[in-house]
Amino acid sequence: MSDSEVSRDRLETIRDRIDDLDHRILALINERAGCALEVADIKRAAGEALNFSRPEREAQVLRALAQGNGGPLDSEAVTRVFREIISACLALEQPLSIAYLGPSGTFTEAAAYKHFGRSIDTRPLAAIDEVFREVAAGAAHFGVVPVENSTEGMVTHTLDVFVNSSLRICGEILLPVHQHLITREQELVDIHTVYSHQQSLAQCREWLDANLPNARRISVTSNGEAARRSAEELGTAAIGPRMAAEIYELDLLVERIEDEPDNTTRFLVIGDHDVPPSGDDKTSLLLSARNRPGALFHLIKPLSDHGIDMTRLESRPTRGRLWEYMFFVDIVGHADSDEVRPALEALKDEAALCRVLGSYPRAVS
């Protein structure tokens, strides 16, 4: 038997193994789906029909799979595959409705799919406060809004809306942001106008200066809106995600034009209920200090005294009160944990205002 015949026989054997594995995997997925339907029946009997999603449980499952992964698939790929399985099984219980900052084709939509999978009903909305209202009214189970970018900093409007909202943070999403120049044009010299969200324009400033120095840069409400305009206007381009190019049938003329290769945006998942501990959590707080010397020092001192790791501190002006500020603080740990609870009690004694915006699982990549 020739070497080529041996190779063909071996290849056919491997293909037969793959076919067998595929059928076994399918059977196991459907067995898992059957378990999900049983869970749905148990929850309905217990009166939990409106709360099928369990963010802490999903985070525990994905975290355990990533930690136990032996390859050759990397943990990110494993997480992505099982996120879709979880999403499809959850949809059998009750399809989730997710409101997000739209329109379609934005990074926020991509973040929603990364966190919840594709088996969801999405509701693109025009403004961040509209996303909050949709969830508060019960028209959506959860909302997804941007909160900070590694290059351009905080999305202050999201922070401001939290001040007057009773919604809680139920999760976070870290999305690597790759900006592409998308257009119907075939050459850079044919582009006289570039549309994009102001943060995307800022994230690509150096590239634009070097490659399209004479093109007008026009800020619009979203990258999806930028792609829509470019699809309708000759001589224009948009900066945005690959998804926007696919939706509006544009070409990726130049890929990955962001100035910082590790550019990442953090998004928050908002809902109307608290999330139990998952074992690896964060807590977000809204604080205001008493008016006295060393106010900020006294405000955060209880965290240090109790050994709590503070990962974020942002200030925002208090509306209607000149030179007074509110502080948004992220700490490691769950508000109900034995480590964090006493720190929060001490903090409430020290602060003029101390509100827990939510405890939630740390982002799973």
Side-chain angles (χ1 to χ4, degrees):
M1 184 179 292
S2 67
D3 289 344
S4 61
E5 290 174 322
V6 171
S7 296
R8 281 197 300 272
D9 286 347
R10 186 182 176 196
L11 185 60
E12 287 302 315
T13 299
I14 294 174
R15 284 173 173 165
D16 288 342
R17 284 177 58 197
I18 290 174
D19 290 344
D20 179 60
L21 286 168
D22 285 344
H23 285 91
R24 287 159 60 189
I25 291 170
L26 177 60
L28 288 171
I29 291 174
N30 277 315
E31 184 177 346
R32 190 192 192 285
C35 290
L37 290 174
E38 290 185 41
V39 168
D41 291 338
I42 293 171
K43 287 182 176 180
R44 286 193 182 94
E48 298 182 28
L50 297 179
N51 189 22
F52 283 133
S53 179
R54 292 287 302 276
E56 80 287 356
R57 168 64 179 158
E58 293 165 21
Q60 290 167 346
V61 169
L62 294 175
R63 198 179 294 139
L65 289 167
Q67 291 172 350
N69 176 38
L73 287 177
D74 61 34
S75 294
E76 184 177 348
V78 169
T79 299
R80 190 164 56 246
V81 169
F82 276 89
R83 168 56 72 191
E84 292 300 334
I85 293 173
I86 292 172
S87 178
C89 290
L90 185 60
L92 291 175
E93 301 178 49
Q94 181 185 49
L96 288 179
S97 175
I98 309 300
Y100 70 92
L101 179 62
S104 182
T106 61
F107 287 109
T108 312
E109 181 181 25
Y113 283 132
K114 178 180 180 180
H115 187 79
F116 292 102
R118 292 272 174 175
S119 299
I120 57 175
D121 295 328
T122 55
R123 295 173 177 264
L125 298 170
I128 288 172
D129 55 338
E130 289 184 26
V131 177
F132 276 76
R133 283 197 295 270
E134 193 84 351
V135 178
H141 294 101
F142 295 99
V144 177
V145 291
V147 69
E148 67 176 308
N149 177 264
S150 59
T151 302
E152 294 303 310
M154 301 303 296
V155 181
T156 56
H157 187 50
T158 296
L159 300 182
D160 291 341
V161 178
F162 270 115
V163 173
N164 295 312
S165 174
S166 62
L167 295 180
R168 270 87 86 197
I169 302 172
C170 299
E172 65 173 356
I173 310 157
L174 300 179
L175 185 73
V177 173
H178 298 303
Q179 306 279 10
H180 310 298
L181 190 74
I182 55 181
T183 179
R184 293 196 187 282
E185 305 300 335
Q186 299 301 308
E187 302 290 341
L188 287 176
V189 294
D190 297 324
I191 297 171
H192 57 70
T193 301
V194 177
Y195 293 112
S196 195
H197 187 275
Q198 61 182 5
Q199 284 220 346
S200 294
L201 289 172
Q203 292 164 23
C204 302
R205 186 184 298 112
E206 294 178 13
W207 189 92
L208 291 170
D209 289 345
N211 295 276
L212 290 171
N214 298 318
R216 290 190 305 156
R217 304 173 195 181
I218 298 180
S219 173
V220 293
T221 55
S222 71
N223 293 321
E225 172 64 14
R228 185 193 67 78
R229 290 197 185 192
S230 183
E232 296 176 352
E233 299 177 24
L234 293 175
T236 67
I239 296 174
R242 185 181 299 272
M243 181 186 296
E246 295 170 353
I247 291 172
Y248 295 98
E249 299 181 343
L250 298 170
D251 296 324
L252 274 67
L253 184 58
V254 186
E255 298 186 41
R256 297 196 175 191
I257 65 172
E258 64 273 9
D259 298 329
E260 298 292 335
D262 296 327
N263 189 20
T264 300
T265 296
R266 179 180 175 228
F267 299 83
L268 296 179
V269 179
I270 56 173
D272 65 354
H273 62 275
D274 294 319
V275 177
S278 74
D280 185 11
D281 301 290
K282 293 171 70 172
T283 296
S284 293
L285 307 171
L286 174 62
L287 307 175
S288 66
R290 300 186 190 280
N291 187 12
R292 59 170 171 167
L296 181 56
F297 168 78
H298 290 289
L299 185 64
I300 62 177
K301 186 176 182 294
L303 299 177
S304 176
D305 291 343
H306 288 81
I308 302 301
D309 184 11
M310 182 175 64
T311 61
R312 177 71 56 190
L313 173 65
E314 294 288 338
S315 64
R316 293 291 297 150
T318 300
R319 292 183 179 180
R321 288 149 62 182
L322 194 62
W323 311 123
E324 292 190 17
Y325 293 86
M326 308 193 81
F327 299 92
F328 293 85
V329 175
D330 289 345
I331 60 175
V332 175
H334 195 282
D336 290 337
S337 68
D338 292 338
E339 295 78 18
V340 174
R341 192 185 306 110
L344 292 182
E345 290 301 320
L347 192 56
K348 288 175 182 177
D349 291 338
E350 196 63 54
L353 169 69
C354 177
R355 197 171 102 210
V356 176
L357 296 179
S359 292
Y360 47 92
R362 298 174 78 174
V364 177
S365 62

